[in-house]
Structure formats: C-alpha cells, structure tokens
Amino acid sequence: MMLKTPILIVNFKTYSHSTGENALKLAKICDEIAKKTGKSIAVAVLPEDINTISKQISIPVLAQHVDGIEYGSHTGHVLPESIKNHGAVGSLLNHSEDQYRFRDLKKATMRMKETGMISVICAASPRMSKKVAMLNPEFVAVELSELIGGDVSVSTAKPKIISKTVKIVKRKSPNTVVLCGAGVNSFDDVKKALELGAQGVLVASAIVKSENPKKVIEEMVGAF
Ligand code: G3P
C-alpha cells in the first residue's frame, strides 16, 4: 500500500487537544475534509487511540512510534503487528522528539516492511535524510528541530534544506517520497514546500492547537 501524494500528515503528538476523545474529533474533521475535497490527508496518533479512530474514519491512520521487535518478551514496546491489527497502515519513526539509535531504526523499518506497513522516517537534517534514505522507506520527512512548534516554517526559514533533501533522498532511493515539516502554518508554507520539491507536509501545532482546525486544514490542502 502507498499513500496518495501530495499529502498532509497531521501529527497529533500528545497534546490534550488531540488525544483520547479529542483525537477522535480531530480525526473526524480530517476525514470529512479529505472526503469533501478529495485531497490526501493522514493522521498520526498515539497507539492507544489507533483502534477507536481507525474504526470510525476512512483516511489512513499511522502510529507515531513503533519498535523493531517481534512477538515475545519486550515489555513496554510497540509491536508492529499490534498497531496493524488495530488499523494502522504505517508509522512515523525517528521523530526528533523520539529519536532511535540507527540500528534500532533499521530493525524497525525492516519490521514495517515485513508486516506490510508504511514507514515515514523523520530526519533532522539533509545529512540524516541521506542516511535514512538508504533504508528505502516509503517516506522521509525532513524536520529541523529548532523550528518545531514555532510559527516560522522550514520552507521560509531554510528553503534550501528542502530542495537539498529531495535531491539527496531521490539519489539514494528514487521511490521514496520526501515530506517536510516544522513550523508549517499556512497555505503559503505548503505551496512553497511543494515548489521546492516536497510531496507533502507533516504538521502538528498549527492544526492541533488551532481554535478552528477545520479552517487551517482546508487552507493547507488548498495548496495541493
Ligand atoms: O511531526 C510534525 C512536527 O514535528 C512539526 O511540528 O508543531 O512545528 O507543526 P509543528
């Protein structure tokens, strides 16, 4: 399975606005907009929210984390088969708020392939993007940690990071889709990211913390 691009992935993180019942509400808003506009939207939610959400919406649901483990004695880990059984089609991996040792990332990506799920590997720099592209994930998302949660987007502050990442990733893994994220707030941020070669965006706070997430999402996917 592959996700349609250009894509908006909404990372729900652990905000109170987007966990538990609020996660379901926000996921339903994303679902309605995707249905109404035909644009590609996916949500990345906590493992405990995957089941409820995936049963009630039809857009793709991703986990925010998964471990490179198999069934067995791995207390407290997130098992790929488990998120899949609950309805996830893939997972974010190596987010800058949740970084893996490279060998763990490699194992987790391999397990995602074995279980037929999509890996969206985050990278905090073009250099890291090059390294993770060698794992041939379906997606690489470049996100500069210093811009995360702010109101200046990577496409405005560091546009070259996006074009450089696209070039580097495509050279190593031509079928990998490049996304960007961090501080993405508006239609213009998304439009610029696409012009720079990204095939979508990974967004959290501008949507999750907005008083009117519907308006923000509609505006962002309007750039697709
Ligand atoms: O994964 C999305 C992300 O880290 C960007 O966060 O709040 O800057 O959109 P934000």
Side-chain angles (χ1 to χ4, degrees):
M1 183 195 183
M2 192 47 185
L3 307 180
K4 188 177 131 199
T5 56
I7 187 166
L8 164 65
I9 300 181
V10 185
N11 181 0
F12 284 29
K13 300 196 176 181
T14 54
Y15 290 111
S16 60
H17 320 61
S18 50
T19 49
E21 284 177 12
N22 289 340
L24 181 60
K25 275 188 210 153
L26 182 58
K28 282 184 173 172
I29 292 173
C30 295
D31 191 46
E32 275 161 29
I33 298 172
K35 276 187 192 131
K36 195 175 81 185
T37 62
K39 310 285 183 175
S40 179
I41 304 175
V43 294
V45 307
L46 290 176
E48 55 271 33
D49 290 326
I50 294 172
N51 196 302
T52 311
I53 290 176
S54 63
K55 281 187 180 136
Q56 298 190 56
I57 65 173
S58 48
I59 57 172
V61 177
L62 307 170
Q64 295 174 15
H65 174 91
V66 71
D67 290 299
I69 54 156
E70 288 158 21
Y71 285 110
S73 65
H74 304 286
T75 306
H77 287 67
V78 179
L79 178 71
E81 282 81 355
S82 174
I83 59 164
K84 186 173 185 179
N85 292 339
H86 282 302
V89 299
S91 182
L92 304 182
L93 297 107
N94 200 46
H95 192 279
S96 67
E97 293 156 1
D98 177 36
Q99 292 191 38
Y100 296 54
R101 284 176 301 186
F102 192 73
R103 67 165 185 273
D104 295 334
L105 176 63
K106 199 171 166 186
K107 186 80 204 295
T109 310
M110 200 183 80
R111 294 263 35 245
M112 293 298 279
K113 286 185 198 298
E114 279 171 10
T115 50
M117 287 193 288
I118 292 164
S119 296
V120 182
I121 304 186
C122 300
S125 64
R127 206 171 121 251
M128 191 60 191
S129 302
K130 182 177 179 181
K131 205 169 168 191
V132 304
M134 290 194 267
L135 302 175
N136 296 307
E138 287 75 13
F139 291 86
V140 167
V142 64
E143 297 200 320
L144 299 182
S145 39
E146 66 268 27
L147 298 176
I148 290 178
D151 48 19
V152 178
S153 86
V154 57
S155 43
T156 304
K158 303 266 170 102
K160 283 201 181 126
I161 297 277
I162 302 175
S163 39
K164 196 171 166 191
T165 303
V166 172
K167 213 163 134 193
I168 290 173
V169 169
K170 293 287 181 189
R171 203 179 295 144
K172 291 280 164 208
S173 178
N175 294 327
T176 296
V177 172
V178 178
L179 308 178
C180 68
V184 175
N185 272 279
S186 65
F187 172 91
D188 286 341
D189 293 339
V190 179
K191 190 163 173 278
K192 187 97 185 282
L194 299 185
E195 284 166 7
L196 291 162
Q199 287 174 269
V201 287
L202 184 53
V203 182
S205 52
I207 293 173
V208 171
K209 293 166 76 180
S210 167
E211 280 177 11
N212 190 347
K214 182 169 180 279
K215 186 167 166 271
V216 181
I217 298 166
E218 281 174 343
E219 184 185 314
M220 287 187 182
V221 298
F224 291 174

